[in-house]
Amino acid sequence: MRYSQLFIPTMREVPSGINAISHILMLRAGYVRQLAAGLFIFLPLGWRVLNKINLILKEEMEKIGAQEISMPILHPAEIWQATGRWYTIKEEMFRLKDRTGRDMCLGMTHEEIMAWIASKEIKSYRQLPQIWYQIQTKLRDEARPRGGVLRTREFIMKDSYSFDADWEGLDRSYNLHAEAYHRIFTRCGLKYYQVESDPGIMGDLESHEFMAPTPAGEDDIVICESCGYAANIEVAKSEISTLLPSNLEYKEIYTPNKKSVKEVSEFLGLNEKYFIKTLLVISEKNGPVLVMLRGDQELNEKKLARIIGEFSFATPEQSLEILGVELGFVGPIGHKIKKIADLSIQKDITYVSGANKKDYHLQGIIPGVHFDAQWMDIRKVKEEDKCYKCGGSLKIEKAIEVGNIFKLGTKYTEPLHAYFLDKDGKEKPIIMGSYGIGPARVAAAAIEQNHDSDGIIWPKSIAPFDIEIIPLNMDDEKTVNIAEELYEKLGEIYNSFADRHIEVLIDDRDERPGVKFKDADLIGIPIQVIVGKKVLNENKIEIKKRRTKETKKVSVNKAVVEIINAYYETY
RNA sequence: CGGGGUGUAGCGCAGUCUGGUAGCGCGCACGGUUCGGGACCGUGGUGUCGGAGGUUCAAAUCCUCUCACCCCGACCA
């Protein structure tokens, strides 16, 4: 295509108040514009990138036998009421009424609708398995849209759903998706991890997330570099070293105004690890709960919430009211309320904790002897911990969730009565799975992972064009003729890498060379072909790889072959 | 939802403290000179100063309310 006919509004200045690199570059390079909080317009270049990604998604989904369909985004409330999510999801769902006053909502996702159609049409095990997918708009009234295109209120998602007759079938469909996702993200040029994840409101079974590491990411993931263990920090487990025996005499100690573990630890000259941090939380379902952690550890709130449901930390007033103790001096002994202690607290040594009395702590506490509790893993993994599988060292990285896979089981099919008759003539619920990928997040992650100070460096599989021809002197007949000739010839070449023709952009604008160079680097097409009077005098043109900035002069009559070679060499 | 911040030309900003009738750079239009890394000179157009109400002879500026957007946190199929 011709640059002069394409709408690519690049910006020289950096928009103020935003900080995600992908957000800045998408704006500066003319890929997107923002309509309102969490609502983005994809301009021609941005839309081309999304379509490149979608094409890869379609190809890989078709390879595992998935069939593309399209579902409404406006849903009747009854279906969401049937599964209960009409009630469990709160402000995040856009709701409205139609003219007759009927409750409706805008689809945040499509499990309900998929299970509904399955319930109507799938009657026999002979119709199973099925995998249906769509690339469709989702709407969520996000509390805080952020990071440009990373978290928006309206976005496109590739969502697929598997329907199987039994659990082995679900495993098969799940694994097929995992394999397809590996191919997809590899093809899109992303660095990514498949991590264990929290199923959240999707269900209670196995789930994984595909995470593209970048500082702009919203999630923390834990990676073991020796054995490959990878998990979202919300569910990650680790091993921490056991402590050497301690044998403190059981007695109260005066600790005036020393409340935090750190303060008391310094006051007594005893390592934080020999403390028990006692927290009071108020659970919506279970009321007050006392939570114990080793002094140097932090609470993983997600882990605790999975045990006791939604909870909040007690206020100073609540602590006095419920325990009769000021916060800071609460200890594990004596209270009648529910107690949960982290597994890292050893039962064979003595600890220090609050004495349940203002300005006093208690030493010599032996867990299991002086108090009992429900022993659970509620600790947040730290980088200095060891891998619980292999003992290897761990690293924690920020990452963007670009995809996820969930085993749903019968969570949606039972309430929506999606039953089929099995071989044995018995009626059984369909076993379901759901699998999502956010194309805009893939694009943003690709930019986060592939850019330099001049602009975007697209992985060539998802670049809006393959090659950009840059004639430098539009008033020089020879320059224009050779550029146009290359444009013609290159456009006719079949791109076996992508199974389509080479897509060429020619910057035919009457602009100064500097402007063209800057814009070309900003928008990030993998190969630049520079045609200019100066080098043309040697009967040569230049080929520049955007990624490495490596430039090569080649003679005009070998140009096409050399350009194609350079294109295949880059990545 | 809690905390912080910003709204002045298409973009980036100054002007607000101390009230006096709106400015700079870039971009844009036209003319000329330039032409291998966001050119230069000249000319020109551009604003309900986020909105509403109030104080005042006079409000971008002071007061009250409100809206939008951004950042941190909570939340996040």
Side-chain angles (χ1 to χ4, degrees):
Chain A
M1 290 189 82
R2 294 180 179 277
Y3 202 124
S4 62
Q5 294 167 10
L6 258 177
F7 183 58
I8 310 176
T10 58
M11 296 192 281
R12 185 204 304 247
E13 291 182 82
V14 181
S16 69
I18 57 176
N19 47 18
I21 288 159
S22 56
H23 190 187
I24 293 169
L25 288 177
M26 278 183 171
L27 286 170
R28 284 196 59 212
Y31 283 76
V32 300
R33 287 294 183 263
Q34 183 171 335
L35 205 215
L39 298 174
F40 279 84
I41 294 162
F42 282 83
L43 298 174
L45 286 185
W47 192 242
R48 287 182 74 93
V49 170
L50 279 198
N51 281 327
K52 285 275 170 70
I53 294 166
N54 290 345
L55 216 56
I56 292 173
L57 293 173
K58 288 184 187 190
E59 283 177 17
E60 294 299 339
M61 291 315 293
E62 307 276 331
K63 272 188 206 160
I64 62 168
Q67 307 152 69
E68 187 173 15
I69 64 173
S70 178
M71 309 203 102
I73 55 174
L74 181 62
H75 303 168
E78 295 88 79
I79 298 180
W80 286 80
Q81 286 162 351
T83 61
R85 288 162 112 192
W86 178 264
Y87 310 104
T88 53
I89 298 172
K90 306 211 167 74
E91 307 95 320
E92 202 176 330
M93 183 187 276
F94 281 108
R95 294 165 213 254
L96 64 159
K97 288 182 194 292
D98 71 9
R99 62 167 73 199
T100 67
R102 186 184 190 195
D103 280 321
M104 313 284 287
C105 65
L106 300 179
M108 309 174 62
T109 172
H110 283 78
E111 282 78 16
E112 275 79 359
I113 314 305
M114 285 280 177
W116 182 88
I117 183 68
S119 77
K120 296 296 169 200
E121 303 301 334
I122 293 179
K123 299 294 169 200
S124 160
Y125 74 94
R126 293 173 191 275
Q127 293 169 282
L128 296 172
Q130 294 284 339
I131 299 175
W132 300 334
Y133 81 99
Q134 60 176 345
I135 295 177
Q136 180 62 286
T137 298
K138 313 288 174 193
L139 291 118
R140 296 178 193 172
D141 196 358
E142 290 287 348
R144 177 146 99 88
R146 74 183 94 178
V149 117
L150 284 178
R151 176 157 230 101
T152 54
R153 294 192 293 175
E154 175 176 327
F155 59 97
I156 293 170
M157 179 159 94
K158 185 292 299 172
D159 49 327
S160 46
Y161 303 83
S162 64
F163 303 91
D164 283 281
D166 51 36
W167 294 91
E168 293 70 35
L170 174 59
D171 290 343
R172 213 174 306 122
S173 297
Y174 190 84
N175 291 335
L176 279 175
H177 274 88
E179 288 161 19
Y181 278 28
H182 283 289
R183 286 193 294 268
I184 287 165
F185 296 124
T186 302
R187 283 183 63 183
C188 289
L190 291 187
K191 180 173 192 286
Y192 70 95
Y193 299 102
Q194 178 180 343
V195 308
E196 295 172 15
S197 70
D198 181 0
I201 72 168
M202 297 297 297
D204 300 314
L205 306 167
E206 190 178 3
S207 69
H208 286 88
E209 290 164 334
F210 287 78
M211 293 287 197
T214 123
E218 295 184 283
D219 292 282
D220 285 310
I221 55 173
V222 177
I223 308 294
C224 170
E225 280 169 311
S226 343
C227 76
Y229 170 70
N232 191 307
I233 194 132
E234 295 173 0
V235 298
K237 292 184 242 179
S238 68
E239 198 68 57
I240 56 173
S241 53
T242 51
L243 300 177
L244 294 173
S246 65
N247 203 3
L248 297 164
E249 184 194 345
Y250 185 84
K251 66 167 187 190
E252 282 182 359
I253 29 183
Y254 183 53
T255 52
N257 268 320
K258 308 292 179 200
K259 294 188 176 182
S260 68
V261 168
K262 190 161 178 278
E263 285 166 354
V264 186
S265 153
E266 280 167 9
F267 182 71
L268 299 179
L270 180 67
N271 191 302
E272 292 186 357
K273 293 176 182 174
Y274 289 95
F275 283 75
I276 293 173
K277 193 187 282 184
T278 311
L279 307 167
L280 178 63
V281 302
I282 316 291
S283 149
E284 285 177 13
K285 278 192 292 198
N286 298 280
V289 178
L290 213 52
V291 176
M292 272 73 72
L293 288 151
R294 202 171 86 178
D296 63 327
Q297 299 299 314
E298 280 173 56
L299 177 65
N300 182 326
E301 297 182 29
K302 292 275 177 183
K303 286 184 181 173
L304 183 61
R306 246 171 275 132
I307 302 165
I308 63 169
E310 289 298 300
F311 68 90
S312 58
F313 290 97
T315 61
E317 297 75 37
Q318 285 173 317
S319 177
L320 276 174
E321 186 188 321
I322 296 163
L323 304 175
V325 184
E326 195 172 309
L327 283 183
F329 304 101
V330 177
I333 300 178
H335 306 292
K336 294 231 160 56
I337 61 176
K338 185 179 177 71
K339 290 176 193 165
I340 297 178
D342 185 67
L343 290 167
S344 62
I345 297 173
Q346 294 164 232
K347 294 187 184 176
D348 55 351
I349 64 172
T350 60
Y351 287 92
V352 176
S353 193
N356 295 317
K357 189 165 137 191
K358 185 169 159 55
D359 291 338
Y360 283 92
H361 279 75
L362 184 62
Q363 67 167 48
I365 299 172
I366 304 172
V369 173
H370 295 124
F371 72 93
D372 208 355
Q374 191 182 345
W375 300 86
M376 308 284 290
D377 174 17
I378 52 171
R379 171 169 52 89
K380 189 179 220 169
V381 171
K382 295 181 165 189
E383 212 156 36
E384 57 263 33
D385 297 351
K386 296 292 173 202
C387 175
Y388 87 104
K389 284 193 170 163
C390 76
S393 50
L394 299 175
K395 63 172 177 177
I396 298 179
E397 286 189 78
K398 289 226 170 290
I400 296 171
E401 180 187 354
V402 287
N404 52 35
I405 53 180
F406 293 98
K407 289 184 181 176
L408 301 175
T410 61
K411 178 167 175 165
Y412 298 92
T413 49
E414 285 195 71
L416 288 164
H417 307 293
Y419 292 95
F420 67 98
L421 281 186
D422 207 350
K423 283 192 189 96
D424 51 17
K426 284 197 183 120
E427 192 171 64
K428 293 175 182 168
I430 298 172
I431 312 293
M432 202 171 155
S434 95
Y435 317 90
I437 290 180
R441 285 187 173 186
V442 171
I447 294 174
E448 293 287 339
Q449 294 180 352
N450 300 278
H451 67 271
D452 60 19
S453 56
D454 291 312
I456 301 170
I457 303 171
W458 286 111
K460 67 178 174 183
S461 57
I462 61 174
F465 291 93
D466 301 316
I467 293 165
E468 175 173 352
I469 300 173
I470 308 174
L472 294 181
N473 322 95
M474 293 305 289
D475 53 356
D476 180 56
E477 205 178 320
K478 192 176 173 196
T479 299
V480 172
N481 287 343
I482 286 173
E484 289 288 344
E485 199 180 311
L486 287 173
Y487 177 61
E488 284 279 312
K489 284 186 183 162
L490 288 166
E492 286 166 5
I493 290 173
Y494 193 71
N495 178 353
S496 58
F497 171 82
D499 198 18
R500 54 169 170 74
H501 281 268
I502 293 273
E503 292 173 349
V504 190
L505 174 66
I506 181 167
D507 191 346
D508 58 340
R509 294 175 300 168
D510 189 14
E511 284 287 357
R512 299 167 60 82
V515 172
K516 295 190 178 188
F517 286 135
K518 288 288 184 191
D519 279 340
D521 286 348
L522 230 201
I523 67 179
I525 312 287
I527 297 292
Q528 296 173 14
V529 175
I530 299 152
V531 185
K533 239 196 291 197
K534 198 172 87 188
V535 181
L536 225 39
N537 285 336
E538 310 165 35
N539 210 31
K540 288 183 173 170
I541 55 109
E542 285 160 290
I543 303 169
K544 182 177 139 191
K545 290 177 181 160
R546 173 63 184 89
R547 187 172 293 275
T548 57
K549 295 240 167 96
E550 175 192 346
T551 303
K552 190 179 176 186
K553 288 184 194 176
V554 303
S555 71
V556 170
N557 53 23
K558 288 193 198 144
V560 172
V561 174
E562 293 279 359
I563 292 164
I564 296 301
N565 283 344
Y567 177 69
Y568 279 95
E569 278 164 23
T570 197
Y571 55 94

